[in-house]
Amino acid sequence: MAIYLALKEMWRNKGRFVLVSLVIALITALVLFTAALAEGLGSGNREYIQKLDADLLVYKSNVDLLIATSRIDRPTYNDIRRVEGVQQVGALSFSNVSIILDEAQEPLKVALIGVEPGKPGEPPITSGGQLRNKRANEAIIDSNVAMQSGLRVGDELTLKSIQGTEEELYTLRVAGISDSQKYSLQPSVVVPYETFDKVKPQAIAGGAGSELASNVVAVKLNNPAQLEPMAARLQAQVQDIEAVDLKTAYESTPGYSAQQNTLNTQQYFVFVISVLVIGGFFQIQTLQKIAQIGMLKAIGTDNRVIAVAAAAQIVATTLLGVLIGTTVTLALSLAIPSVVPIIFSPLSSSIVIVALILMGPIGGMVSIRHSLKIEPLTALGLAA
């Protein structure tokens, strides 16, 4: 009976209910795009570090976990390697260069990452081969570079770097292609660490060749479950370092936390708006049909029937809006260029959709409560 009453009213006033569903669809699209943007920007900042085949990242102490200002020299690197419980270490260095493409294309800005071949930090490849040795003039490019540049395994790539005040070009062979390994929102080119020392931008031309140092050191443990004890042991046995897990490392990336908090706050505000929109609409609906509800109660209709009918309308309207919004959003996502940092994660999208579906009943609780408090005689104007 309750479902019949709900659907009958929705059909007789379908224009009104469809318009509200479209408003919910717009809210759904906004929240989904915001969630996808948060996921895309977050992934672009943390992807390389998150995928490291390591358990801890070691920085120089007192640098606020900023990779760009951290510097680990070789004696410190060797001390880290000798700590009991450490299985393997790999020096990591980071900079920025550009790949020179054909004349019709702008140079592609990339993150240049120096690693030790065969050590933590060198990404696994999906095609081609790994880096051969620490001096090889070759590189592993990630899938983003391959897609945007058209480079394939065996091709030569030309890197542009600033040496002193002059632009220098370096030619490397593409040894392999990895999956997406973005760092600081840029696609990455991974090279052996001595090649990195030669190619990286430098304030003085020919400045390479001094004692090699890295920004950070990736540490793989014998027992990955002992993260905190091993971090404490490293800091106790090796001077002037700070060791943290990978999650702490990428969350300390400049702007990462502020960026994620801003986008999450936007989502929360949209959720609040959706509650107010749905609640406001159904409250107006209830006020417009006080006489009808009073008549139903006067002829003996139970409050449960009225409540279930109202809840069914709220749920049906919300489901229709969320379905339309989700379908349109996913269709539009197919047309978004791959360079735009938007990722529709199944997990985060599912959480958003479920939350929006729950917002409907929450927003409509006031109108349901109001309809249950209507007195039949008062509603019909027969009260004394």
Side-chain angles (χ1 to χ4, degrees), residues 42-92:
S43 178
N45 274 312
R46 68 175 182 257
E47 199 166 49
Y48 175 76
I49 295 176
Q50 188 177 36
K51 292 181 177 180
L52 276 175
D53 181 25
D55 303 300
L56 296 173
L57 211 58
V58 176
Y59 299 73
K60 182 178 177 61
S61 62
N62 301 317
V63 297
D64 297 324
L65 300 182
L66 298 178
I67 289 178
T69 56
S70 174
R71 185 177 174 85
I72 305 291
D73 56 27
R74 295 308 286 186
T76 302
Y77 169 91
N78 291 328
D79 290 341
I80 295 170
R81 185 179 57 184
R82 286 191 287 264
V83 172
E84 184 181 354
V86 171
Q87 181 183 118
Q88 199 174 31
V89 296
L92 305 178

Side-chain angles (χ1 to χ4, degrees), residues 4-45:
Y4 172 78
L5 288 174
L7 297 179
K8 188 72 173 178
E9 182 183 2
M10 291 181 70
W11 180 253
R12 289 178 64 86
N13 299 283
K14 49 184 175 291
R16 183 185 302 174
F17 283 94
V18 167
L19 283 175
V20 176
S21 291
L22 291 177
V23 172
I24 296 173
L26 290 175
I27 292 173
T28 301
L30 177 59
V31 179
L32 283 174
F33 271 114
T34 304
L37 182 60
E39 183 70 24
L41 291 173
S43 178
N45 274 312

